Amino acid sequence: SAARHMHGKHVVLDQNPALETYFCENGWCWDIRKPKVRELLKSVRRELIGLCGKGGYFHIGCDEAYGFDLNTDEGRNAVCDFINGIAEEMAAEKRRILVWGDMFLYRYSHYNPKNYYAANAPSPESAEYMLNRLSGKVVIADWQYDANEAPVETSEVFLKHGLDCM
């Protein structure tokens, strides 16, 4: 749905406005609290696995997931439960899921100022809460566009919480 934010277009809703009920109220992301959405996304994962064949990983994205208030336990739990559920589903397929890490990071002032990290958790408490809720079956994809000096400190945050990171 980033196209909507950047270009005023929504990849799904511009083609089929009737699918509006599948998205959060702000239209930004899938409303993962709804069973019909979880089933749709599960069928997409099955189709992609069938198309791509065997593998050990499955990337589920989850960056820029602005449909939930990550300042509340309800919002944080919805996101973590969704991710952990897919981790279990993919474990049965002998795959591990990869998830973008930006929503699990807070922009701490002690980070190297030469590295502008993508860190989108709204508070240190929110970041800590979610990092402690994520299953160890989840692999964090810690991309950083503007980390110009080693080390990339954000990867250490994930490793400290017992999560594998790439």
Side-chain angles (χ1 to χ4, degrees):
S1 299
R4 182 178 218 184
H5 175 72
M6 296 168 60
H7 306 289
K9 297 287 184 181
H10 192 289
V11 172
V12 176
L13 297 182
D14 282 2
Q15 295 176 49
N16 189 346
L19 295 176
E20 180 181 15
T21 61
Y22 283 74
F23 291 87
C24 290
E25 291 173 8
N26 68 4
W28 181 260
C29 63
W30 299 105
D31 190 343
I32 57 175
R33 297 168 294 193
K34 295 180 177 176
K36 69 181 183 178
V37 171
R38 289 192 302 274
E39 281 304 311
L40 173 67
L41 296 176
K42 188 175 191 173
S43 71
V44 169
R45 290 190 296 275
R46 285 188 196 128
E47 183 177 336
L48 287 169
I49 287 172
L51 176 68
C52 296
K54 293 185 181 196
Y57 296 93
F58 192 96
H59 201 307
I60 67 168
C62 292
D63 65 328
E64 302 169 5
Y66 302 132
F68 299 92
D69 184 355
L70 299 181
N71 285 307
T72 67
D73 287 352
E74 180 183 1
R76 294 185 287 241
N77 286 331
V79 170
C80 290
D81 289 346
F82 178 71
I83 291 170
N84 290 340
I86 297 172
E88 290 298 321
E89 171 194 329
M90 288 292 119
E93 300 279 341
K94 304 219 182 328
R95 292 177 184 255
R96 293 186 71 195
I97 64 167
L98 293 115
V99 178
W100 295 122
D102 63 302
M103 78 174 127
F104 308 112
L105 294 169
Y106 182 73
R107 193 175 314 284
Y108 292 104
S109 60
H110 65 269
Y111 285 153
N112 180 344
K114 292 182 181 178
N115 289 338
Y116 183 79
Y117 293 122
N120 295 314
S123 68
E125 296 78 23
S126 179
E128 191 69 19
Y129 185 97
M130 291 189 297
L131 286 168
N132 288 327
R133 285 272 341 271
L134 286 179
S135 165
K137 296 178 181 177
V138 173
V139 179
I140 300 294
D142 186 25
W143 93 108
Q144 295 296 341
Y145 296 113
D146 298 308
N148 299 311
E149 284 190 4
V152 176
E153 299 153 296
T154 54
S155 296
E156 293 299 321
V157 172
F158 300 120
L159 295 172
K160 180 183 89 175
H161 283 85
L163 297 164
D164 289 335
C165 180
M166 60 172 61

